[in-house]
Amino acid sequence: ERTAEALRGLVDNRLAAVVPLYGELPSEAQDRALRPEPDGRRRIVLATNVAETSVTLEGISAVVDTGLARIARFDPGTSLDRLTRKRISRASAHQRAGRAGRLGPGRCFRLWTQADQASLPERNTPEIRRVDLSAAVLQLLAWGEPDVARFGWFEAPEGGRLERALELLGRLGAMSPSGGPTALGRRLASLPLAPRLGRLLLEGEARGCVRRAAL
């Protein structure tokens, strides 16, 4: 959004439209980024790595790639996931360059050197190896999965991380000794929050200070 504001001060609005594209935008705003401008103006689409997916953006002839992405990673200091800015992989760089050549010839301007390109990892680390698993494990328990270790994960997490997630859910009171979810666990599973934060919110509700807990 800051980049969009800066560009709007530099670009003649009659010649080009500055259009953001990221996951939390309303659907009509995302649709605008996916379609050419009806008046024929050029578009400058400012996209997160949502643009690395198979989406086709009509009329895109050039990509400017910073080589960076914000990714979720477990922070041992807070015991929660947080977004960090990291260098992308060569696979991501290839995907990004492809946005400029989906429907015809295009160009990609990469804001790093050939030496940096050689040092990029080949692929991204799968999210299941980067983030806290307690929320995913709690969802599986709420759906009736009896053994999360034997669940058919697309990419199975390390056993130690599963054990830590189960231990945390037990300490939060979300999991019974038999391994199923408690009533509290089912409430936590219904909240769009990490189990730690959800537990804090529900305790604040029980003690009559939900606003302070939310803050």
Side-chain angles (χ1 to χ4, degrees):
E1 292 290 351
R2 289 195 299 269
T3 304
E5 286 303 311
L7 282 173
R8 289 184 184 116
L10 296 171
V11 176
D12 189 333
N13 188 55
R14 295 169 296 178
L15 301 178
V18 178
V19 188
L21 175 60
Y22 53 91
E24 294 181 3
L25 278 176
S27 58
E28 60 270 18
Q30 294 191 41
D31 289 344
R32 183 186 176 190
L34 298 177
R35 294 193 302 261
E37 289 295 298
D39 56 9
R41 286 181 301 166
R42 298 193 71 173
R43 283 177 302 155
I44 302 173
V45 180
L46 301 172
T48 62
N49 40 341
V50 68
E52 288 180 30
T53 62
S54 58
V55 63
T56 296
L57 304 178
E58 291 185 40
I60 297 298
S61 59
V63 165
V64 179
D65 187 358
T66 64
L68 299 170
R70 286 169 64 81
I71 63 170
R73 188 178 295 276
F74 181 70
D75 180 0
T78 63
S79 295
L80 294 167
D81 295 333
R82 69 185 182 96
L83 289 174
T84 58
R85 191 167 66 172
K86 294 288 185 181
R87 298 294 299 274
I88 61 173
S89 67
R90 277 176 277 170
S92 287
H94 181 72
Q95 282 285 85
R96 293 179 178 194
R99 300 312 95 193
R102 297 282 285 186
L103 301 175
R107 291 184 178 184
C108 179
F109 300 91
R110 289 175 170 169
L111 305 186
W112 64 91
T113 66
Q114 287 283 2
D116 289 336
Q117 174 71 13
S119 68
L120 295 178
E122 184 177 354
R123 300 187 184 283
N124 297 325
T125 303
E127 186 171 290
I128 200 167
R129 298 180 187 168
R130 291 188 274 109
V131 301
D132 175 31
L133 296 179
S134 60
V137 169
L138 182 58
Q139 287 294 337
L140 288 175
L141 295 176
W143 292 340
E145 176 59 44
D147 188 346
V148 294
R150 295 194 176 192
F151 177 72
W153 301 89
F154 182 70
E155 289 195 44
E158 296 92 339
R161 300 186 67 238
L162 273 179
E163 290 171 10
R164 287 193 293 274
L166 291 167
E167 179 189 0
L168 172 62
L169 294 175
R171 295 207 323 266
L172 294 176
M175 192 174 71
S176 67
S178 63
T182 61
L184 174 63
R186 292 190 181 279
R187 288 195 70 193
L188 288 176
S190 72
L191 297 175
L193 292 169
R196 285 177 183 272
L197 297 179
R199 184 69 179 84
L200 173 65
L201 200 61
L202 293 180
E203 188 67 19
E205 178 189 48
R207 293 172 181 267
C209 55
V210 69
R211 286 184 177 274
R212 290 181 64 190
L215 178 62

